[in-house]
């Protein structure tokens, strides 16, 4: 795998498209019967992996781009008082990461202080440990160790199903999934779609728990569970504690999806195969810019620390100021004359 400027730009574009289409599917009732939780899980994981590893894969091949990608290069290398724009943007990105780190660190400290206030004596029901406290007004799971907190008053009828639900969050380490999303936000704080992705992950986490808890229930238990979840939502008003698992995640979509899942448990294999093919295609091609005279690239190359690496697999890649600009399709192009070619060392 190789990380290049082109692969990063294309991964961002594909991620925007995936997040947008996935959001349409999540908010469209008519697709719920066909697209079950296995489909939704694949979608959300593909998007997160695409953001985490915006690289060219082994089967990715390059297509020369005379216009679009070259425009991106010229834009990010545009000098502002002698400093390339991309260096200024990197500085701002680092500042944003530091701010996010401080913000999330404060949330972790708040969670740690909150846990200290939890009563020392836990309660047990059906082997599940939980705490009754007036610190919350809605059932939540908080902390990596998984403290199930239930409001001191109410929720008597729904308690069995609430505990099953919250225990499933703990068993599948859902709080760590939320941490991972916050990690992505620290990297992509400037990338607006990542905040929509966070909402989608929260909703998918709840849909997963609903599916696992109800998959072996009979009809009466299934609809009792659904009624319990609805009842909990009508009784509570808070949005949970930072880094906790709370239940306020587009309730109408979640309940509709749960009801559709009573009879349809799995997605048609043909739909899953189509999804897999689309994912494969999304990483099949990367567009690389071709430097041509009419675009003024000679000045860019001539004023930068530029070199070409000839890899042992026969490919050539262009580097400017230490940045990998991607594959070179024609090493004999006149615009590349004079640039030093280095051989890859075993």
């Amino acid at each position: 795998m190789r990380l290049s400027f082109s692969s990063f730009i294309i991964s961002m574009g594909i991620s925007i498209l995936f997040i947008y289409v996935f959001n349409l599917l999540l908010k469209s009732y008519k697709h719920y019967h066909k697209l079950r939780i296995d489909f939704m899980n694949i979608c959300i994981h593909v998007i997160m992996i695409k953001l985490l590893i915006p690289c060219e894969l082994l089967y990715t091949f390059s297509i020369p781009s005379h216009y679009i990608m070259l425009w991106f290069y010229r834009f990010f290398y545009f000098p502002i008082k002698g400093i390339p724009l991309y260096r200024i943007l990197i500085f701002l990105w680092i500042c944003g990461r530091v701010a996010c780190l401080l913000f999330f660190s404060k949330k972790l400290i708040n969670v740690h202080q909150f846990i200290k206030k939890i009563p020392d004596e836990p309660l047990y029901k059906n082997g599940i440990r939980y705490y009754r406290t007036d610190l919350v007004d809605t059932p939540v799971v908080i902390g990596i160790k998984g403290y199930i907190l239930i409001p001191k008053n109410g929720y008597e009828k729904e308690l069995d199903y609430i505990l099953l639900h919250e225990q499933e969050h703990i068993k599948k380490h859902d709080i760590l999934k939320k941490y991972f999303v916050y990690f992505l936000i620290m990297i992509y704080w400037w990338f607006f779609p990542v905040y929509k992705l966070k909402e989608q992950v929260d909703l998918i986490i709840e849909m997963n728990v609903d599916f696992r808890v109800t998959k072996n229930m009979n009809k009466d238990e299934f609809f009792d569970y659904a009624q319990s979840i609805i009842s909990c939502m009508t009784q509570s008003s808070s949005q949970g504690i930072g880094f906790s698992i709370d239940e306020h995640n587009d309730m109408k979509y979640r309940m509709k999806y749960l009801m559709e899942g009573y009879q349809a448990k799995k997605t048609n294999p043909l739909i899953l195969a189509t999804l897999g093919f689309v994912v494969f295609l999304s990483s099949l091609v990367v567009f690389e810019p071709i430097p041509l005279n009419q675009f003024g690239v000679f000045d860019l190359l001539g004023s930068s620390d530029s070199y070409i690496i000839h890899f042992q697999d026969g490919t050539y890649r262009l580097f400017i100021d230490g940045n990998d600009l991607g594959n070179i399709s024609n090493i004999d192009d006149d615009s590349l004359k004079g640039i030093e070619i280095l051989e890859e060392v075993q």
Side-chain angles (χ1 to χ4, degrees):
M1 291 189 297
R2 296 182 189 274
L3 174 62
S4 67
F5 184 82
S6 296
S7 67
F8 178 78
I9 291 294
I10 291 173
S11 291
M12 294 303 98
I14 292 174
S15 296
I16 290 174
L17 179 62
F18 278 9
I19 291 171
Y20 175 74
V21 172
F22 187 53
N23 196 64
L24 291 179
L25 295 176
L26 278 177
K27 303 300 174 67
S28 178
Y29 294 154
K30 64 181 181 181
H31 295 112
Y32 282 5
H33 188 73
K34 295 179 180 179
L35 307 180
R36 298 312 304 158
I37 199 63
D38 47 0
F39 178 92
M40 299 299 184
N41 281 330
I42 293 174
C43 287
I44 205 71
H45 282 89
V46 164
I47 294 171
M48 290 193 292
I49 292 172
K50 201 74 179 173
L51 290 172
L52 186 65
I53 312 175
C55 300
E56 302 173 30
L57 302 181
L58 295 177
Y59 62 84
T60 303
F61 66 90
S62 301
I63 293 180
S65 171
H66 292 273
Y67 299 98
I68 298 178
M69 291 308 299
L70 195 55
W71 182 89
F72 276 109
Y73 280 95
R74 294 189 66 191
F75 174 78
F76 285 105
Y77 276 85
F78 182 80
I80 298 178
K81 293 188 176 181
I83 303 174
L85 177 60
Y86 79 89
R87 292 187 177 180
I88 298 174
L89 294 178
I90 289 175
F91 174 76
L92 294 176
W93 173 72
I94 292 173
C95 292
R97 283 202 66 181
V98 172
C100 287
L101 180 61
L102 293 175
F103 176 74
F104 295 138
S105 296
K106 185 176 184 300
K107 289 174 75 77
L108 284 172
I109 293 172
N110 291 341
V111 168
H112 180 70
Q113 293 175 342
F114 188 89
I115 290 174
K116 288 182 178 181
K117 301 177 183 179
I118 297 174
D120 294 331
E121 293 298 325
L123 302 172
Y124 292 87
K125 188 167 187 179
N126 299 326
I128 301 175
R129 184 188 66 178
Y130 68 100
Y131 297 84
R132 283 282 191 176
T133 174
D134 55 7
L135 297 173
V136 297
D137 65 0
T138 183
V140 297
V141 175
I142 187 172
I144 294 178
K145 292 184 178 179
Y147 294 89
I148 301 177
L149 307 182
I150 309 294
K152 205 161 192 177
N153 300 312
Y155 300 97
E156 298 298 339
K157 292 182 179 180
E158 307 88 358
L159 185 59
D160 287 343
Y161 291 122
I162 290 174
L163 294 179
L164 283 175
H165 183 97
E166 305 299 352
Q167 183 68 10
E168 194 64 29
H169 278 306
I170 296 172
K171 286 168 59 178
K172 296 301 179 181
H173 307 290
D174 285 339
I175 195 69
L176 295 181
K177 299 172 186 176
K178 291 177 72 76
Y179 285 177
F180 178 75
V181 174
Y182 281 113
F183 173 74
L184 286 179
I185 291 175
M186 286 178 60
I187 298 174
Y188 292 101
W189 60 265
W190 50 271
F191 188 55
F192 179 75
V194 79
Y195 300 99
K196 176 58 66 175
L197 176 65
K198 177 186 178 299
E199 296 177 9
Q200 294 172 349
V201 170
D202 288 345
L203 181 56
I204 293 299
I205 285 175
E206 295 303 329
M207 287 178 170
N208 268 294
V209 171
D210 292 337
F211 171 76
R212 291 193 296 264
V213 171
T214 61
K215 65 180 180 180
N216 295 319
M217 287 182 174
N218 59 41
K219 183 177 180 179
D220 291 338
E221 291 172 334
F222 183 94
F223 287 101
D224 284 345
Y225 170 83
Q227 183 59 46
S228 296
I229 297 299
I230 295 173
S231 178
C232 288
M233 296 305 97
T234 57
Q235 293 184 56
S236 61
S237 59
S238 74
Q239 297 296 311
I241 303 98
F243 292 125
S244 68
I245 300 291
D246 66 84
E247 312 303 324
H248 297 77
N249 296 284
D250 289 324
M251 191 63 190
K252 59 181 179 179
Y253 301 113
R254 181 181 161 195
M255 283 296 100
K256 181 66 175 178
Y257 198 80
L258 178 62
M259 293 298 101
E260 289 289 346
Y262 177 65
Q263 293 180 330
K265 302 293 184 182
K266 295 182 179 180
T267 306
N268 187 304
L270 183 59
I271 295 178
L272 294 180
T274 302
L275 175 62
F277 183 66
V278 170
V279 172
F280 171 79
L281 289 180
S282 70
S283 300
L284 185 61
V285 172
V286 62
F287 295 94
E288 301 286 3
I290 291 185
L292 298 175
N293 291 353
Q294 60 264 38
F295 292 103
V297 179
F298 278 114
D299 294 338
L300 174 63
L301 297 179
S303 62
S304 305
D305 180 15
S306 309
Y307 56 90
I308 296 170
I309 295 181
H310 181 206
F311 291 92
Q312 294 180 12
D313 61 5
T315 61
Y316 294 85
R317 297 183 75 84
L318 175 64
F319 290 79
I320 298 178
D321 290 340
N323 296 289
D324 184 357
L325 300 190
N327 283 326
I328 298 174
S329 59
N330 181 15
I331 191 61
D332 296 321
D333 192 293
D334 289 340
S335 64
L336 299 175
K337 288 182 178 180
I339 300 178
E340 183 181 10
I341 300 179
L342 306 176
E343 297 292 331
E344 182 183 23
V345 179
Q346 290 185 341

